[in-house]
Amino acid sequence: MIKKIFLIGNPNVGKSVVFSRLTGVQVFSSNYPGTTVGFAKGYLMVGNEKVEVVDLPGTYSLEPSTKAEEVATSLLRESVKEESVIINIIDATNLERNLFLTLQLIEEGYSVVICLNMCDDAAHRGVDINTSSLENILGVPVISTCAVTGVGIKLLIERIKEVTPGAKNKLGHQERWVEIGKIIESVQKLNHRHHTFRELLEDASVRPLSGLLMSIAVIYASFKVVRFIGENIITKITDPIFFDLYRPLLERLSSSWQEKGFWFHLLIGDLINGKIDFKQSLGVLTTAPYIEFGMVLPYVISFYFVLSLLEDIGYLPRLAILLDNLLHRLGLHGFAIIPVLLGFGCNVPGILATRALESKRERFIASTLISIGVPCVPLQAMIFGLLGAFGGFYVGGVYLVLFSLLLIIGVIMNRTLKGYSPEFLLEIPPYRFPPLAVLGKKLYFRIRGFIIEAVPIVLIGVAVINILIYFRLFDFITSISAPVIKGLFGLPKEAVVALVIGFFRKDVAVGMLMPLGLSAKQLFISATLLAISFPCIATFVVLLKELGVRDLIKSTLIMVFTSLIIGTLLNFAIIR
Amino acid sequence: MAPGKKAKVSELSGGFALKHRLMSMGIYPGKEITKLSHFALRGPVMIKVGRGTIALGHSMAGKIIVEIE
């Protein structure tokens, strides 16, 4: 009886795509090794039975070398062999390397079905695999699929029932490769082809000079596209909705309001010159939706569009190679750029992605750096929205400070923490061009995730803040923290409220600064402080889960200490 | 080994764990590999193994002993 189905395979062979096809459960997939770092569960009907399907992180062998691989192998080891089926997903363009894990699985006596994925790409690259003869040699069902479009998935489900456990002699690594060599010779034919333009690009992006030029072009273009899309959504869509449709509605509501007491304060907020000001009123119906939908959401959309595109094309691992040298000085290696980039969207997935790094030390360094020096999209959107009015100089300044901090703290941690950083070892995937529908779906799920997670917290957050302000409960915190806020950072003492709110949500925190009428310098300092000080509560919880209490405390101390120094330094160093 | 050159892996030196990782990724004695490029200042080295491309750290690459044909 089949009770569980495990999806296992080398990194970046499309396990998660197959999983989504089998179960209908949406999981993220990208074109780089290590997208899946935890496991996902879903259900599939096999005959009349409902069977649990588990998507595992990719692994090259049954002996793990990263935390993500550990997740895969330990889950597999815990399972009951007789009750589980393994769908071993293989990248058809690279059959030889993938067979190593396959043979290991069969030798261990698991019931295996092989899903020969990416068949379309293999055919394109002149790889011809004889599936029936592969089936005969291995003694397990082999089904060729193209999971992105769904070809072969039905057949795969049908043949799951046919499996029988394999039992072969265990081989040493060297013997296994000899065996694989023989298999490849009899089942795979390579048609010689000329280098395609795509392959030329692939090679150019991993050569030092051309790679560097390409990376500068890609980063510059990405930045421009993010700004272009974000600004256009704001000026063409969200601002007209807020100012031409929503505000007149609110104004009518506000003017018909007789007694402007507690509820008025909570929902509409303060009137600025007798009018509703989305940026300064601070009401649950005014500033809260404007921050989330009018300022942050447009950039969330544009950022994730560009990130998803880069992920699916397969550019990120190439960026990792170029940055390997620099990141080594921070105790990391090139791959760490991927969690960092994800962190620019939201720190939570960024920190989760550090699981694909090998050592605990690297994970600590990467997580700490992400929470200090990598501002998430909502925070960045607010910084652009607010500080942008004073000119690009200040916005650039925030990034410059954060970037320098990343380098300095990274170098210090690398020098002081025990242990050494492991070396870079990463498979570089070929470029792939995702169908637009696939890209659109991923973008949709990311944006939906943002709305579900952020909007309730923002609305509740603004409500709670308003209640606290209304009943003057912040006064206590304001007065005890005044020496630090005023004396060291040069900010008005009310700014502490924003720093506290930063623990819940960074975008709302910047929103709290808006009515204070800060000077450019003060705004610059407080925005920078919001980025480096405590991460928001969601990030905090993930840090606790990933690092454990002791390392979390260590990491937090570094953040507090850095905030104090930087806040003071900026205050006294900037004259104007 | 110059970029663009082919060679046969003759030995993997280094610890058991590293040997194991390299082997599970398809780098084993007897396998033919092609060096694509390397980066300055002891940066990573890119090699082609079978149909895949692998980037590995400088000293890790140094542990793959090859025989140039």
Side-chain angles (χ1 to χ4, degrees):
Chain A
M1 242 267 302
I2 305 170
K3 284 201 173 149
K4 259 189 186 179
I5 296 176
F6 289 97
L7 300 185
I8 188 164
N10 285 180
N12 207 33
V13 297
K15 290 174 294 298
S16 298
V17 187
V18 174
F19 177 77
S20 292
R21 284 275 168 198
L22 289 177
T23 62
V25 174
Q26 180 68 26
V27 282
F28 283 119
S29 44
S30 306
N31 185 14
Y32 58 80
T35 309
T36 310
V37 287
F39 59 92
K41 279 183 185 175
Y43 293 91
L44 167 73
M45 297 299 288
V46 179
N48 296 319
E49 301 283 336
K50 197 172 165 192
V51 183
E52 187 178 275
V53 183
V54 186
D55 180 28
L56 298 174
T59 180
Y60 288 106
S61 73
L62 292 176
E63 295 90 13
S65 56
T66 67
K67 197 175 173 189
E69 291 189 3
E70 230 172 84
V71 172
T73 48
S74 65
L75 268 170
L76 200 59
R77 300 249 186 246
E78 283 164 20
S79 70
V80 187
K81 269 184 197 171
E82 291 72 32
E83 292 176 348
S84 15
V85 168
I86 304 233
I87 299 183
N88 175 213
I89 295 148
I90 286 183
D91 174 358
T93 60
N94 204 340
L95 180 65
E96 184 180 13
R97 198 211 54 220
N98 283 254
L99 282 178
F100 187 80
L101 178 66
T102 309
L103 289 194
Q104 238 183 348
L105 287 167
I106 297 174
E107 287 164 25
E108 294 260 346
Y110 289 102
S111 312
V112 181
V113 187
I114 291 173
C115 166
L116 202 55
N117 201 17
M118 307 204 196
C119 273
D120 51 338
D121 202 24
H124 213 78
R125 286 170 190 263
V127 180
D128 184 20
I129 298 167
N130 185 340
T131 43
S132 56
S133 111
L134 185 61
E135 212 172 285
N136 286 335
I137 297 171
L138 295 175
V140 299
V142 179
I143 299 101
S144 39
T145 62
C146 172
V148 174
T149 56
V151 174
I153 296 293
K154 236 178 161 173
L155 193 65
L156 175 69
I157 298 173
E158 275 168 27
R159 297 200 59 185
I160 286 173
K161 284 171 281 183
E162 290 176 22
V163 292
T164 44
K168 283 192 178 171
N169 301 331
K170 288 198 183 178
L171 302 171
H173 291 343
Q174 188 70 43
E175 298 161 313
R176 203 172 291 138
W177 281 117
V178 173
E179 185 77 23
I180 291 169
K182 282 184 212 153
I183 299 177
I184 292 292
E185 212 154 284
S186 67
V187 303
Q188 181 175 279
K189 265 205 320 245
L190 295 179
N191 304 318
H192 188 74
R193 313 183 124 226
H194 288 290
H195 272 268
T196 59
F197 180 60
R198 177 164 70 158
E199 282 161 328
L200 278 178
L201 269 185
E202 279 167 9
D203 285 355
S205 60
V206 296
R207 289 213 172 85
L209 187 64
S210 50
L212 192 67
L213 292 177
M214 272 174 84
S215 74
I216 292 170
V218 168
I219 291 170
Y220 180 77
S222 306
F223 195 74
K224 282 278 165 200
V225 172
V226 169
R227 288 229 57 185
F228 177 79
I229 298 178
E231 268 171 13
N232 270 293
I233 296 178
I234 290 178
T235 54
K236 304 237 161 73
I237 304 172
T238 58
D239 267 3
I241 293 177
F242 270 100
F243 289 97
D244 301 340
L245 290 174
Y246 190 55
R247 191 159 66 178
L249 214 74
L250 283 177
E251 301 254 280
R252 213 174 304 161
L253 178 73
S254 132
S255 56
S256 66
W257 210 301
Q258 294 304 319
E259 200 185 331
K260 295 187 169 30
F262 173 75
W263 287 104
F264 185 83
H265 183 81
L266 185 69
L267 296 176
I268 306 284
D270 304 317
L271 295 179
I272 310 294
N273 299 329
K275 288 200 147 194
I276 291 170
D277 186 321
F278 282 128
K279 286 192 175 172
Q280 296 185 34
S281 290
L282 278 189
V284 174
L285 293 178
T286 52
T287 303
Y290 187 70
I291 289 179
E292 275 330 277
F293 296 109
M295 296 178 84
V296 173
L297 185 65
Y299 278 104
V300 169
I301 296 173
S302 63
F303 174 82
Y304 278 125
F305 169 74
V306 172
L307 182 69
S308 305
L309 192 66
L310 289 178
E311 277 182 343
D312 286 5
I313 286 176
Y315 185 72
L316 301 186
R318 292 169 164 83
L319 198 58
I321 304 168
L322 290 165
L323 289 169
D324 183 52
N325 232 316
L326 174 74
L327 287 164
H328 255 293
R329 281 155 230 272
L330 314 183
L332 299 167
H333 62 55
F335 188 83
I337 190 61
I338 291 178
V340 166
L341 282 178
L342 291 175
F344 274 112
C346 168
N347 281 354
V348 173
I351 289 167
L352 284 176
T354 60
R355 282 194 200 163
L357 297 171
E358 290 88 349
S359 72
K360 203 167 176 233
R361 179 179 187 264
E362 278 178 290
R363 286 194 290 275
F364 176 77
I365 296 179
S367 308
T368 307
L369 288 182
I370 289 172
S371 17
I372 292 181
V374 178
C376 58
V377 166
L379 179 58
Q380 292 180 74
M382 294 301 286
I383 291 177
F384 268 95
L386 235 65
L387 216 45
F390 294 102
F393 172 76
Y394 288 99
V395 180
V398 175
Y399 285 94
L400 192 70
V401 170
L402 293 180
F403 184 67
S404 327
L405 269 179
L406 279 183
L407 296 185
I408 296 168
I409 296 176
V411 169
I412 294 176
M413 283 200 280
N414 186 30
R415 295 271 162 89
T416 52
L417 291 174
K418 266 183 284 190
Y420 69 102
S421 50
E423 274 205 86
F424 191 48
L425 178 58
L426 183 70
E427 206 189 336
I428 309 300
Y431 284 139
R432 295 197 171 97
F433 299 97
L436 271 182
V438 174
L439 192 68
K441 209 167 157 193
K442 187 170 174 179
L443 187 60
Y444 167 73
F445 276 97
R446 275 184 156 152
I447 291 165
R448 200 183 69 156
F450 167 77
I451 292 177
I452 291 173
E453 277 159 34
V455 172
I457 301 181
V458 169
L459 293 180
I460 296 168
V462 171
V464 171
I465 296 161
N466 269 334
I467 294 171
L468 292 179
I469 292 176
Y470 192 78
F471 292 109
R472 309 199 144 272
L473 292 171
F474 271 123
D475 291 5
F476 176 65
I477 309 176
T478 314
S479 55
I480 55 163
S481 62
V484 175
I485 302 292
K486 235 178 152 167
L488 292 181
F489 303 158
L491 300 173
K493 61 182 198 285
E494 291 79 17
V496 73
V497 177
L499 292 179
V500 173
I501 302 305
F503 188 61
F504 296 95
R505 270 203 77 83
K506 300 283 181 188
D507 40 10
V508 179
V510 182
M512 297 294 298
L513 294 172
M514 295 193 288
L516 293 180
L518 301 181
S519 70
K521 175 186 163 185
Q522 288 173 322
L523 209 50
F524 170 70
I525 293 176
S526 40
T528 314
L529 280 178
L530 272 174
I532 37 189
S533 65
F534 283 116
C536 70
I537 193 152
T539 313
F540 220 67
V541 172
V542 180
L543 277 174
L544 176 69
K545 263 204 322 229
E546 296 298 306
L547 298 178
V549 182
R550 271 194 53 187
D551 277 358
L552 175 67
I553 294 173
K554 225 160 64 177
S555 181
T556 310
L557 285 178
I558 297 177
M559 291 173 213
V560 173
F561 196 61
T562 317
S563 314
L564 282 175
I565 295 180
I566 295 300
T568 315
L569 215 61
L570 288 178
N571 180 30
F572 290 105
I574 305 173
I575 295 145
R576 49 171 179 167
Chain B
M1 204 176 157
K5 278 275 181 311
K6 275 184 189 175
K8 203 173 240 175
V9 177
S10 63
E11 196 195 327
L12 298 175
S13 60
F16 177 79
L18 175 65
K19 241 184 205 166
H20 174 79
R21 270 186 88 186
L22 291 176
M23 282 199 96
S24 66
M25 290 178 89
I27 303 166
Y28 54 91
K31 178 76 189 169
E32 193 180 73
I33 61 174
T34 311
K35 178 169 164 183
L36 284 177
S37 59
H38 66 259
F39 286 75
L41 300 166
R42 300 177 59 79
V45 177
M46 312 285 309
I47 58 170
K48 227 177 171 72
V49 183
R51 304 190 56 81
T53 307
I54 293 175
L56 31 92
H58 188 88
S59 71
M60 205 185 264
K63 295 199 173 100
I64 303 175
I65 316 288
V66 294
E67 223 172 80
I68 298 173
E69 286 146 26

